[in-house]
Amino acid sequence: MLALVLVVLLGTALVLGHTTARRLRVAPPIVLLLGGLLLGFVPALREVRLPPETVLLLFLPALLFWESLTTSLREIRSNLRPIVLLSTVLVIATAGAVAVVGYLLGLPWGAAWVLGAAVAPTDATAVSVLARALPRRTITTLRAESLVNDGTALVLYGLAVGITVGAEHFTVPHVTALFLLSVAVGALSGVVVAWIGVRVRGLLADPLLGNVALLIIPFTAFLLAEVVHSSGVLAVVVCGLIMSQAGPRVASAEVRRQAIAFWSLATFVLNGSLFVLVGLQAQEAVRELTSAGLARAALAVAAVSAVVIGVRFLFLFTSPYVIRLLDRRPRQRARRVGARTRVVSATAGFRGAVSLAVALSVPRTLDSGAPFPERDLIVCVTCGVIAVTIVVQGLLLPVVVRWARLPPDTGVEAERQLAETLAAEEALAALPEVAAGLGTAREVLERTRREYETHLAVLRAGTGDGDGEDEAALRHDRHYTELRLAMIAHKRATVLRLRDERRIDDTVLRQLQSRLDIEEVRLTRREAAE
């Protein structure tokens, strides 16, 4: 019964949270997290416990895979060096700084490093939701950093826990070897699963089967990496990046339409639910502390949050100058960003799902049977840092973006206009040869030519490259679209009336309505949610 109540409340929280966020003009994760905190006051929900396996094995593979599929690999290649530095050096530096602060606050070194590993990585899903309005280069760097740094943090966490419980021993060569092995084997696992996935999807013509295969790919990559004791997160990310390049060549249009619709809805629900559950878990963690422990936890949350944010700012304002001293190539100088852009990137260092999963995964006992030192404090502080970064930095980010006055990012629109125009021009040029090969009737050929010429005129009007008839072409396109949409509405009303009069079956209604919906979406050029 409790599970059913939780499902209903999560769904309700998602709807109310997003509606409230739009009215208040704040990021939805902020409202959802606060909603989770409020739900924690419901007596029945105090029994809710979020198993770490749920986050690691259900939420993370799906969310990270979709983030990888929708991230620009070209931008990752162009910004590979800062991404690598942010996802490795910054994570290790943050974990180390937090470990020092934790030790000063009374944690043993092992527990302090576990806390550092938990709060070191930024969260890919939080970054995507809270920082999606940023320029393409900035958001791609942030997303790629968040995708890769999870693997670094989980390796650090595994080493810290292993050393604390007595399963591992600490030497620099040993730790370095384990780290490199985890990263290399994890990436290789992702390559293997992607190779298999591309070939399996190419064999499946049925859209439903093709998307079932796509659904199990991230979980397979994560499973394979876990079996060989490597980074499951990195396996999913590498697999997703490879699939993003190979997938468009092996999947049909119907498979892609279904995939986008399914993954958009699934990741929306998983994302929102996760923020609500973080709020619930934060309150549950607070309840488990005594009054003295609560005061200590509040101090620790404030100190660790300051360190996490401060180290990120320090790194972003020192590493670029070190790179400039070492690399003075013109190409490097051309890719430099200003101080205001770095402030925006530093403010966008949100924590989320991985941090929560790491904290909840801390074992309760050591090999000796003794309790794991300060486990409750680690969970509480991690939840507090997540809440601080999402709420405080999430509210500050729009203000910082306005202050930064970043130049408008017109690159995506310009490239899309270029691709659409060239695609239409080359298709029009190939039309006579294609029509001759198909044996197309002359009247059909002329009709198609006129449609393509009209479409091309509208595209050229959008770039200002037309022949003086831009305004007429755009007006013609607008009138055509309005008329077609009005006709679609009349056709839909007719089909519904026939169903209501029982002259056609609901099955026929759904078939015709699907075709009309596809045509309406095409005419209105609505973009699928990422």
Side-chain angles (χ1 to χ4, degrees):
M1 187 67 178
L2 179 60
L4 184 59
V5 171
L6 184 61
V7 169
V8 173
L9 288 177
L10 282 176
T12 305
L14 283 178
V15 175
L16 294 179
H18 279 270
T19 303
T20 304
R22 288 178 181 176
R23 292 186 177 181
L24 297 178
R25 295 183 179 180
V26 297
I30 299 173
V31 179
L32 294 173
L33 190 145
L34 295 176
L37 289 171
L38 293 176
L39 287 176
F41 289 104
V42 179
L45 295 183
R46 292 184 176 179
E47 301 177 14
V48 174
R49 298 290 185 275
L50 183 60
E53 295 82 6
T54 302
V55 180
L56 278 175
L57 305 181
L58 175 63
F59 285 84
L60 273 186
L63 293 174
L64 292 177
F65 186 64
W66 184 241
E67 288 296 323
S68 303
L69 283 176
T70 55
T71 297
S72 170
L73 185 58
R74 187 187 70 177
E75 287 295 312
I76 291 177
R77 289 169 177 163
S78 300
N79 299 279
L80 186 60
R81 180 162 56 190
I83 290 170
V84 171
L85 292 174
L86 289 169
S87 57
T88 54
V89 178
L90 177 57
V91 171
I92 296 172
T94 303
V98 171
V100 171
V101 171
Y103 181 75
L104 294 176
L105 292 173
L107 273 69
W109 274 115
W113 271 100
V114 170
L115 176 60
V119 299
T122 54
D123 183 66
T125 56
V127 166
S128 294
V129 175
L130 291 164
R132 62 174 49 177
L134 297 178
R136 175 174 51 172
R137 180 184 175 186
T138 303
I139 187 62
T140 301
T141 302
L142 290 170
R143 290 175 70 182
E145 172 204 354
S146 302
L147 289 171
V148 179
N149 66 14
D150 294 342
T152 305
L154 287 173
V155 172
L156 288 176
Y157 162 77
L159 292 172
V161 169
I163 293 169
T164 304
V165 302
E168 296 283 356
H169 62 280
F170 178 81
T171 64
V172 174
H174 178 67
V175 171
T176 304
L178 287 177
F179 179 81
L180 294 177
L181 183 64
S182 177
V183 170
V185 178
L188 181 60
S189 300
V191 172
V192 170
V193 174
W195 184 83
I196 297 173
V198 169
R199 276 145 186 82
V200 170
R201 291 193 73 201
L203 298 175
L204 299 175
D206 186 282
L208 293 176
L209 294 178
N211 280 300
V212 170
L214 185 63
L215 176 62
I216 65 175
I217 283 174
F219 300 98
T220 304
F222 201 98
L223 175 62
L224 178 59
E226 288 294 309
V227 168
V228 295
H229 304 291
S230 60
S231 174
V233 168
L234 194 58
V236 173
V237 171
V238 171
C239 180
L241 290 175
I242 295 175
M243 293 292 296
S244 71
Q245 301 302 299
R249 290 187 172 89
V250 298
S252 65
E254 191 171 0
V255 171
R256 289 194 297 271
R257 284 186 59 250
Q258 285 190 3
I260 292 173
F262 168 77
W263 283 94
S264 299
L265 176 61
T267 53
F268 176 84
V269 173
L270 289 176
N271 256 326
S273 301
L274 192 56
F275 289 120
V276 176
L277 291 172
V278 167
L280 272 174
Q281 190 63 48
Q283 195 185 98
E284 192 267 340
V286 169
R287 287 197 303 268
E288 291 187 357
L289 296 174
T290 62
S291 57
L294 188 59
R296 183 186 176 204
L299 175 62
V301 168
V304 172
S305 298
V307 169
V308 164
I309 297 171
V311 169
R312 184 173 182 84
F313 270 88
L314 181 63
F315 185 85
L316 287 174
F317 276 89
T318 54
S319 60
Y321 297 103
V322 175
I323 293 174
R324 291 179 187 182
L325 288 174
L326 300 175
D327 188 352
R328 295 183 173 275
R329 292 176 299 170
R331 180 182 178 185
Q332 168 61 30
R333 290 198 296 268
R335 298 197 63 80
R336 292 175 182 175
V337 297
R340 290 176 180 262
T341 301
R342 292 199 293 275
V343 170
V344 172
S345 298
T347 308
F350 310 105
R351 269 60 184 176
V354 174
S355 296
L356 180 64
V358 167
L360 295 177
S361 299
V362 176
R364 296 187 177 274
T365 60
L366 306 177
D367 285 353
S368 62
F372 193 97
E374 305 288 2
R375 182 185 186 277
D376 291 343
L377 183 64
I378 292 173
V379 175
C380 185
V381 172
T382 302
C383 291
V385 172
I386 294 172
V388 168
T389 57
I390 289 179
V391 175
V392 176
Q393 290 182 270
L395 291 174
L396 282 176
L397 184 60
V399 178
V400 173
V401 171
R402 288 195 294 271
W403 164 81
R405 296 194 299 274
L406 300 177
D409 185 3
T410 59
V412 174
E413 183 61 33
E415 289 178 10
R416 184 171 65 179
Q417 189 78 22
L418 171 67
E420 288 183 346
T421 303
L422 285 179
E425 288 176 347
E426 294 188 9
L428 185 59
L431 182 60
E433 181 181 350
V434 173
L438 295 174
T440 306
R442 183 174 181 81
E443 57 271 19
V444 176
L445 171 61
E446 292 304 319
R447 175 185 171 184
T448 306
R449 187 196 303 278
R450 287 194 300 271
E451 291 176 354
Y452 267 82
E453 288 174 345
T454 301
H455 176 58
L456 189 56
V458 172
L459 290 174
R460 287 171 174 167
T463 62
D465 295 333
D467 56 0
E469 300 181 354
D470 294 356
E471 185 176 348
L474 291 173
R475 184 171 59 252
H476 176 277
D477 182 64
R478 185 176 65 253
H479 290 172
Y480 173 81
T481 301
E482 291 172 352
L483 180 61
R484 288 292 300 272
L485 289 174
M487 292 300 96
I488 289 172
H490 277 280
K491 292 169 73 174
R492 185 178 286 115
T494 300
V495 173
L496 286 170
R497 190 188 75 244
L498 292 173
R499 191 279 310 270
D500 294 340
E501 294 173 353
R502 300 184 180 180
R503 296 169 63 183
I504 63 172
D505 187 63
D506 288 298
T507 302
V508 177
L509 168 67
R510 287 191 293 269
Q511 293 173 351
L512 295 177
Q513 194 170 46
S514 176
R515 296 178 183 178
L516 293 173
D517 291 344
I518 292 172
E519 188 175 1
E520 180 179 337
V521 169
R522 181 182 64 82
L523 288 168
T524 54
R525 297 183 176 90
R526 292 173 183 165
E527 301 294 333
E530 287 192 1

